[in-house]
Amino acid sequence: MNSSLLLSIITFVYGLAAVFYVASWSFKKHVMNRIGTWIALAGVIGNAAGIILRWIESYQTPGHYGHVPLSNLYESLVFFALTIAVIFLIVEKKYKTRIIGVFASPIAFLTMAYASLSPNVSDKIQPLMPALKSNWLIAHVIACFLGYAPFAISFGISIVYIFTVKKTYGNRERSFSAFLNPPMLEELNQQLIMFGFLFLTIGIITGAVWANSAWGRYWGWDPKETWSLITWFIYATVLHARMVRGWGGKKLHGFP
Amino acid sequence: MLSLALTSIVGTIIPQHKDPFVYFKAYGEFLYRVFNVFDFFDMYHSWWFQLMIVLLVLNIIVCSINRLSATWKVIFTKNPVFKLSRFQGGSDNERFAKNSPAKSLKNIYAEFLNKRFGYIRVEETSKGFTVFAEKWRWTLLGVYFVHISIVFLLAGALIGSMYGFDGYVRINEGESVNSINLGLGNKGKTRSIGFDIFCEDFDVSFYDSGMPKEFRSRLAIIENGKAVYKKDIVVNDPIRYKGINIFQSSYGLIKPEDVILKITSKKTGMVYEKKAVFGQEIVMPENTGFFVLIDYHNSYSFRGKALGETFFGKFVLSNGGSETVALPIRYPSFDKMRKGDIAIEVADYKKRYYTGLQVTKDPGVWVVYAGFIIMIAGCYITFFMPHQRLCIDVVKKGGQCEVMVAGSANKNKLGMQNKVKKISKKLSEL
């Protein structure tokens, strides 16, 4: 069994977890949610094993030295799926909220599916080009994905929030279901965005320090840097709107 | 902030720092002139973009001072204000009853909270007592750390642009230089760096797939005719000497004076070797014509495929016609595609590299790095160290005490609720 095969299988494990989560939400069956959690946990273990296996394989490939598997699109997407799954399982456990898997597991599934199935993403192990040979690579990539994953989950929460909370905001008591509790969703979203923002900040900063050690400038306004800054500005605006202006509740989802 | 984000997008769509001619072709004359007026081709260095950054930072400073002067007293108060009524209404308050005298509870609870919170205060009430506790009030300052860090970044960038420089220099193997070409905005200017950089050797190695693996320059710093510092630099591992940084940036082959050509005749299958000097006509075998070596490029792309180092020649046929011949080193059979009477390839030439170095000096970089550290610390404090307040209210009722535990925090309210639950459970077991 090689890592690519293992990771392809994990795609379907995440898919199955997503099916259980979404079904548990539609049919309001807590058992299914519990099953979804266990399947997702199996997915996480397999996903991590796949990354470690790929790491070992990179040392065995003749002709080039091994490297941490965080160097191309395929490896990044696989790592992204792992961070999403780990974060949502932690949040699920810590806040005892069952809803988060409903949004997050499909994102993990789609990420893995894109990595495994898209013809544009090569799963071949490629040697590192000279600019990537730096320990900053590892710090930078891990920090960035720890930033992106909570943003992705909060995106999922926000979508459901916009479409369902409109109906339920009036009776904010837990009568609707144990799943949807608007103030809790808001709070969770805020937590995720703060976590993501911290790691996006660290990601941009490690990137800048790395650029300074590779090219002698910490900021060069190249499109990738600029877009990360744009993202940073946008999330900073969101945080200011909530923390300074106190946007929340009805004002947050935009329905009168 | 959003307007900066929006205008930054423009700079990622319009390629920056290209030749005016390229823009002219892409956008037409009118748009070219409009874009040029607004410096869209180098917009991140334009006056209006930099003005927006400065305005943003001024805005941050003014707002911070404004808010800070309003909240200063709240943050640095010796006697924080607690109102029992504020805590009593909460729907998530925990309650339990206890069969002990209020006096002993007071000491136990006060000590319990003293261990976990920075500040506690016990107040007697008409029916019992109240313990207030709080911690991490100072984290209300966290956001100002983040704001100050942005000022640090701007200050560092300013110092860098005033007292630093950024340039490029090309050194042939075995040669040295003592000045560099300054980059954008200083077109054509050179600058002396105060010492000589000597390039002893340059090497490039490839993976089996043809992807470059490592670029390595063996450099020496020479002051007053003496080598004072020696180091092999690769990408990600520069020389840092006297505040000047030297980075591996590019490389190429120096055009050799002559090459050895291998000529294969299609008709007879004979193989000939001839030496070709740039610009000198040589007679080709079997009466096929004359050949002149005219040019050399470090990179050549043919139908979208990069062929690498390539020599170019002109082949004057004996029937009077002439053809341009490309001779890529890595693809020796390339000339067979021309389907001429003879196929030419470069068999040998003297390989001599030059190394391209990025040479920079940025005294502001440490200010920027300090800003980075403050920013990360500030974000952590602001987001994850909430100002927490806790209140225990004990009311004597009959022979027992009714205890209420309530808490509040300025963020992570869910976490605070869980904490109140846990503390209440522990208190009820004490």
Side-chain angles (χ1 to χ4, degrees):
Chain A
M1 171 113 88
N2 68 11
S3 60
S4 300
L5 179 63
L6 176 60
L7 290 168
S8 305
I9 295 169
I10 295 306
T11 307
F12 294 100
V13 175
Y14 281 143
L16 194 63
V19 168
F20 271 95
Y21 271 118
V22 174
S24 80
W25 186 41
S26 316
F27 305 125
K28 315 238 173 339
K29 287 265 190 299
H30 285 238
V31 188
M32 289 175 135
N33 197 291
R34 195 60 59 76
I35 296 172
T37 303
W38 285 108
I39 297 175
L41 191 64
V44 164
I45 294 166
N47 197 339
I51 291 175
I52 293 168
L53 192 60
R54 191 177 168 90
W55 197 349
I56 297 168
E57 280 168 12
S58 77
Y59 279 92
Q60 290 161 346
T61 315
H64 40 77
Y65 307 114
H67 56 84
V68 185
L70 295 171
S71 69
N72 60 15
L73 183 58
Y74 176 81
E75 292 169 350
S76 304
L77 286 171
V78 168
F79 185 70
F80 186 41
L82 180 69
T83 49
I84 291 175
V86 167
I87 289 174
F88 94 71
L89 284 176
I90 289 174
V91 172
E92 194 180 79
K93 179 104 177 73
K94 201 176 157 200
Y95 290 97
K96 305 200 172 36
T97 157
R98 306 185 172 286
I99 188 79
I100 191 163
V102 180
F103 330 118
S105 60
I107 301 177
F109 165 64
L110 290 175
T111 308
M112 283 297 278
Y114 181 62
S116 304
L117 305 175
S118 165
N120 300 327
V121 183
S122 159
D123 64 357
K124 258 174 72 179
I125 297 179
Q126 292 145 332
L128 282 185
M129 49 188 258
L132 292 183
K133 284 184 186 163
S134 167
N135 287 332
W136 288 108
L137 168 76
I138 301 163
H140 174 65
V141 175
I142 289 178
C144 282
F145 281 102
L146 283 178
Y148 300 156
F151 286 157
I153 298 173
S154 103
F155 163 75
I157 292 182
S158 305
I159 295 245
V160 174
Y161 186 89
I162 287 172
F163 286 108
T164 62
V165 167
K166 185 185 177 187
K167 290 180 276 182
T168 59
Y169 215 87
N171 45 343
R172 59 150 66 189
E173 301 307 312
R174 282 144 206 197
S175 56
F176 180 73
S177 81
F179 284 102
L180 268 181
N181 172 4
M184 195 196 69
L185 284 190
E186 269 176 41
E187 182 66 30
L188 204 57
N189 221 355
Q190 173 75 357
Q191 284 293 316
L192 286 167
I193 289 177
M194 290 195 301
F195 186 84
F197 189 79
L198 175 68
F199 278 96
L200 178 65
T201 308
I202 297 176
I204 294 174
I205 286 174
T206 48
V209 175
W210 180 16
N212 193 37
S213 76
W215 302 295
R217 56 166 84 97
Y218 49 82
W219 196 261
W221 292 109
D222 84 12
K224 205 162 185 163
E225 287 169 346
T226 311
W227 272 106
S228 72
L229 185 69
I230 293 167
T231 314
W232 195 84
F233 276 144
I234 290 172
Y235 278 103
T237 312
V238 172
L239 287 169
H240 278 93
R242 276 210 65 141
M243 296 173 101
V244 182
R245 296 264 161 202
W247 281 16
K250 293 185 178 183
K251 199 161 185 180
L252 191 67
H253 62 82
F255 293 103
Chain B
M1 205 148 60
L2 284 181
S3 53
L4 263 181
L6 280 177
T7 46
S8 299
I9 296 174
V10 176
T12 64
I13 294 168
I14 299 175
Q16 304 281 301
H17 301 305
K18 288 276 165 60
D19 198 52
F21 182 71
V22 177
Y23 290 124
F24 206 84
K25 232 168 85 178
Y27 301 112
E29 187 182 346
F30 176 70
L31 272 180
Y32 171 76
R33 283 184 187 211
V34 173
F35 284 2
N36 210 9
V37 168
F38 289 106
D39 284 327
F40 272 5
F41 305 127
D42 186 13
M43 59 164 274
Y44 300 115
H45 300 100
S46 68
W47 58 271
W48 58 268
F49 192 79
Q50 305 216 327
L51 181 72
M52 273 168 57
I53 294 180
V54 171
L55 283 179
L56 175 74
V57 173
L58 281 181
N59 181 12
I60 288 172
I61 296 171
V62 171
C63 287
S64 296
I65 292 174
N66 240 343
R67 286 180 69 88
L68 195 56
S69 58
T71 51
W72 189 264
K73 277 187 188 155
V74 179
I75 297 173
F76 292 102
T77 175
K78 283 253 162 70
N79 282 307
V81 181
F82 285 103
K83 279 197 184 126
L84 182 59
S85 55
R86 278 225 177 155
F87 289 100
Q88 275 167 335
S91 58
D92 297 303
N93 292 356
E94 298 287 319
R95 287 165 206 279
F96 58 88
K98 199 84 184 165
N99 255 332
S100 338
K103 241 187 192 159
S104 68
L105 282 183
K106 188 169 22 176
N107 289 333
I108 295 170
Y109 288 176
E111 199 190 329
F112 179 87
L113 290 187
N114 206 4
K115 269 189 219 157
R116 287 164 178 80
F117 288 81
Y119 174 91
I120 71 157
R121 189 162 83 216
V122 185
E123 277 176 16
E124 300 291 335
T125 59
S126 56
K127 293 178 203 157
F129 68 91
T130 306
V131 188
F132 295 111
E134 70 162 10
K135 72 168 171 180
W136 291 350
R137 178 174 280 265
W138 62 271
T139 62
L140 294 172
L141 283 174
V143 64
Y144 303 107
F145 284 116
V146 181
H147 287 175
I148 285 173
S149 76
I150 293 171
V151 178
F152 268 75
L153 299 190
L154 195 78
L158 200 67
I159 294 172
S161 67
M162 278 162 61
Y163 302 108
F165 58 82
D166 182 358
Y168 174 85
V169 69
R170 194 189 244 210
I171 313 175
N172 297 341
E173 279 180 313
E175 291 175 19
S176 63
V177 297
N178 60 13
S179 67
I180 56 162
N181 309 310
L182 293 178
L184 306 161
N186 303 287
K187 280 198 176 92
K189 275 192 202 159
T190 61
R191 185 194 166 104
S192 161
I193 49 172
F195 51 77
D196 285 20
I197 309 171
F198 174 69
C199 175
E200 198 182 316
D201 187 33
F202 175 85
D203 258 317
V204 55
S205 54
F206 296 90
Y207 292 108
D208 298 339
S209 62
M211 218 170 102
K213 183 172 167 183
E214 187 180 74
F215 311 115
R216 179 179 288 271
S217 297
R218 174 161 295 174
L219 301 182
I221 306 289
I222 296 173
E223 275 179 319
N224 306 322
K226 262 192 215 158
V228 289
Y229 185 76
K230 273 189 179 178
K231 185 175 173 179
D232 285 12
I233 66 165
V234 296
V235 182
N236 275 317
D237 187 18
I239 285 184
R240 300 189 193 276
Y241 183 75
K242 284 193 175 170
I244 291 177
N245 311 305
I246 303 166
F247 299 88
Q248 183 67 54
S249 160
S250 63
Y251 79 102
L253 280 170
I254 301 159
K255 185 170 152 182
E257 279 165 19
D258 50 57
V259 301
I260 306 294
L261 297 178
K262 194 170 119 188
I263 301 140
T264 313
S265 161
K266 204 170 163 189
K267 232 188 279 170
T268 61
M270 289 279 284
V271 177
Y272 306 87
E273 272 200 0
K274 275 191 184 283
K275 182 173 165 180
V277 179
F278 272 96
Q280 287 181 18
E281 270 187 0
I282 49 170
V283 182
M284 293 313 251
E286 298 182 7
N287 244 340
T288 46
F290 297 95
F291 180 83
V292 200
L293 200 57
I294 48 176
D295 209 355
Y296 166 78
H297 286 293
N298 272 311
S299 60
Y300 170 59
S301 112
F302 181 76
R303 291 192 184 148
K305 192 170 157 52
L307 301 183
E309 302 95 0
T310 305
F311 288 91
F312 296 91
K314 197 169 137 192
F315 189 16
V316 184
L317 301 167
S318 48
N319 63 16
S322 82
E323 285 174 341
T324 304
V325 182
L327 308 170
I329 309 291
R330 269 189 248 160
Y331 301 89
S333 56
F334 184 80
D335 193 45
K336 280 187 188 143
M337 290 202 314
R338 192 170 48 88
K339 297 204 161 68
D341 290 336
I342 53 167
I344 307 169
E345 68 182 89
V346 174
D348 194 22
Y349 68 103
K350 209 173 157 200
K351 242 185 181 178
R352 201 173 150 221
Y353 287 106
Y354 70 83
T355 180
L357 305 174
Q358 189 84 23
V359 182
T360 69
K361 182 181 177 182
D362 189 352
V365 79
W366 297 110
V367 180
V368 172
Y369 279 13
F372 285 167
I373 291 168
I374 298 171
M375 180 178 273
I376 293 174
C379 280
Y380 183 82
I381 293 166
T382 313
F383 298 151
F384 300 109
M385 294 178 74
H387 172 212
Q388 304 167 15
R389 293 142 69 91
L390 196 91
C391 164
I392 303 174
D393 185 38
V394 178
V395 178
K396 279 183 261 184
K397 213 171 198 181
Q400 56 178 12
C401 290
E402 276 184 3
V403 184
M404 180 205 73
V405 185
S408 71
N410 63 339
K411 51 224 156 197
N412 193 8
K413 301 195 165 76
L414 281 177
M416 192 63 196
Q417 273 175 30
N418 289 339
K419 194 168 178 176
V420 168
K421 265 182 211 155
K422 266 186 205 157
I423 288 180
S424 165
K425 200 167 166 232
K426 273 190 189 157
L427 287 175
S428 66
E429 287 160 1
L430 275 176

